[in-house]
Amino acid sequence: MALCLSASKSIVFNIICSNSTSDPFPSSSVFKSLKIPRFWPWQKVKMGPLTVSPMGFGTWAWGNQLLWGYQDSMDSELQQTFNLAVENGINLFDTADSYGTGKLNGQSEKLLGKFIREFPGDKQVKNDIVIATKFAAYPWRLTPGQFVNACKSSLERMEIEQIGIGQLHWSTANYAPLQERALWDGLVAMYEKGLVRAVGVSNYGPKQLLKIYKYLDDRGVPLRSAQVQFSLLSMGSEQMEIKNICDSLGIRVIAYSPLGLGMLTGKYTPSNLPPGPRGLLFGQILPGLEPLLTSLREIAQRRRKTIPQVAINWCVCKGTIPIPGIKSVKQTEENLGALGWQLSSDELLQLEYAALDSPQKMIQNVFQTK
């Protein structure tokens, strides 16, 4: 989820139905015929030794002044959003040691730790919270020990004893391939030391994903998750190849930016753009999204849902764990409404055809590897 973004990847038509006949969360044929909702908020899915909610929440905005306009005065509502999410069955929260701008670096982790400690609800519910944090591949992190120290620093910021999922935030294969092996060994070490319950990666393309999977597997460390930008704006051939690899290897796909930084909320138009850097990006992409936004709007009205709920539900139906960002009670309430129901196969196809008909796509993270 780094701020730097690169050119769009091409979309291949024949991949849009690649998951239509497979269900990564199996249910009986009777349940399917009755169209029982895939998930309710309090239902959970397995991720190795972890049991997590079918949707998590991202905390990129917590501490980020440049892109999301964070201020200390927001902390009270952020705590309310956290409590509301946990009270409604969400137990997966994604963060990173780089989240927070300038002097606020690490603020997201600090707030998460504070909110967990101060959560007023049931103790077991609190204990079941899974934090997935990402460790940046900074150029000065050159040894496994330095990467382990990064993990220890995150534990100290959050004031917890163990992290649920320790993730490598991005691969250095594109620009510093020699550093990559040390980072992988760092993941192995933090797992063996019991600092994390599971390990994952973020922004890994198909080739590098297979490489790190084998490297970790040879050392007895299972790769449990892979974060990738995945949404109706990011459903290209590479995303689907990653998804297929993960399904075959038992790796969970965590879908970040399921709302395309807000472009799939229906809130913005070419004449009504968000402030700051997002406005520049939205100005380039929104004019070409009308076919997709129209389909989202039609299905939302028919389903009596909102556009974001439909967009997030699409991610769930494709077998991923979406992690939309939250920074208000209203957002949290709305995002929770993405669970407990399921788009039909016809609706999925309608959205995917509309996405293909939309000439503009989400540009991909510059750190995404092949």
Side-chain angles (χ1 to χ4, degrees):
M1 289 190 225
L3 291 179
C4 300
L5 297 167
S6 68
S8 172
K9 300 291 190 294
S10 62
I11 301 255
V12 177
F13 171 78
N14 63 7
I15 53 86
I16 65 174
C17 298
S18 62
N19 291 326
S20 60
T21 59
S22 62
D23 187 352
F25 308 109
S27 58
S28 74
S29 59
V30 174
F31 281 178
K32 288 180 180 177
S33 66
L34 291 174
K35 297 187 182 300
I36 298 297
R38 186 180 295 266
F39 290 115
W40 295 102
W42 53 86
Q43 288 182 295
K44 300 290 184 286
V45 296
K46 293 295 291 182
M47 189 186 295
L50 305 171
T51 303
V52 301
S53 45
M55 174 178 69
F57 283 137
T59 63
W60 184 17
W62 300 10
N64 189 302
Q65 295 175 318
L66 176 64
L67 205 64
W68 302 106
Y70 169 81
Q71 300 294 332
D72 290 346
S73 59
M74 297 177 178
D75 290 356
S76 177
E77 183 168 15
L78 290 178
Q79 187 160 16
Q80 292 177 51
T81 68
F82 174 84
N83 291 345
L84 177 65
V86 175
E87 288 163 358
N88 283 275
I90 301 298
N91 77 327
L92 176 63
F93 293 88
D94 181 75
T95 183
D97 64 359
S98 61
Y99 284 0
T101 49
K103 66 180 181 180
L104 293 173
N105 194 55
Q107 181 73 355
S108 175
E109 288 185 334
K110 291 177 184 177
L111 288 173
L112 258 182
K114 176 177 182 290
F115 297 164
I116 291 173
R117 291 192 302 275
E118 297 178 0
F119 179 68
D122 184 81
K123 184 177 180 181
Q124 187 57 51
V125 171
K126 179 190 294 189
N127 292 339
D128 288 341
I129 292 171
V130 175
I131 292 181
T133 196
K134 300 180 289 295
F135 310 114
Y138 291 134
W140 54 86
R141 290 177 176 170
L142 297 172
T143 68
Q146 289 172 322
F147 213 50
V148 169
N149 287 338
C151 179
K152 291 179 179 178
S153 294
S154 289
L155 288 167
E156 291 173 3
R157 275 189 293 274
M158 291 185 281
E159 298 184 37
I160 59 177
E161 294 182 358
Q162 191 179 44
I163 290 165
I165 313 170
Q167 305 162 100
L168 176 52
H169 203 157
W170 65 83
S171 168
T172 64
N174 288 345
Y175 60 92
L178 296 179
Q179 184 185 4
E180 186 96 334
R181 187 64 56 88
L183 300 176
W184 293 0
D185 286 337
L187 285 178
V188 171
M190 64 180 70
Y191 180 81
E192 291 178 341
K193 292 176 182 293
L195 303 177
V196 300
R197 294 185 64 192
V199 300
V201 293
S202 179
N203 297 309
Y204 265 63
K207 292 181 180 179
Q208 284 300 107
L209 181 62
L210 287 170
K211 287 179 182 178
I212 189 172
Y213 173 85
K214 185 178 187 307
Y215 189 86
L216 296 178
D217 188 59
D218 287 346
R219 286 151 184 79
V221 179
L223 182 63
R224 297 300 189 185
S225 67
Q227 272 201 45
V228 63
Q229 185 171 233
F230 191 95
S231 73
L232 282 161
L233 280 180
S234 297
M235 44 170 269
S237 57
E238 192 163 282
Q239 277 86 359
M240 293 306 181
E241 185 178 357
I242 292 168
K243 177 65 172 58
N244 291 336
I245 290 171
C246 287
D247 287 348
S248 68
L249 297 177
I251 303 168
R252 288 290 187 195
V253 173
I254 299 176
Y256 75 76
S257 293
L259 297 176
L261 298 179
M263 277 183 276
L264 295 182
T265 62
K267 178 180 177 182
Y268 300 104
T269 66
S271 60
N272 177 35
L273 301 172
R278 280 198 305 153
L280 298 174
L281 178 65
F282 283 32
Q284 297 174 26
I285 298 178
L286 275 175
L289 291 188
E290 195 51 40
L292 176 55
L293 291 173
T294 297
S295 286
L296 282 166
R297 196 174 295 112
E298 289 174 357
I299 292 173
Q301 290 174 349
R302 186 165 64 242
R303 286 279 191 165
R304 296 184 179 180
K305 300 294 181 182
T306 67
I307 290 175
Q309 288 168 351
V310 174
I312 294 170
N313 191 271
W314 178 85
C315 292
V316 175
C317 288
K318 302 305 286 187
T320 72
I321 300 175
I323 50 169
I326 53 168
K327 59 178 184 176
S328 72
V329 169
K330 182 179 179 182
Q331 281 181 332
T332 306
E333 290 173 340
E334 182 171 32
N335 290 344
L336 286 168
L339 299 179
W341 59 284
Q342 183 177 337
L343 289 164
S344 69
S345 57
D346 287 344
E347 288 169 330
L348 292 173
L349 283 175
Q350 178 185 343
L351 290 171
E352 290 160 12
Y353 278 120
L356 290 174
D357 286 341
S358 299
Q360 295 296 334
K361 314 300 176 189
M362 187 67 179
I363 56 179
Q364 298 303 301
N365 198 308
V366 70
F367 290 117
Q368 180 77 27
T369 61
K370 296 293 186 181

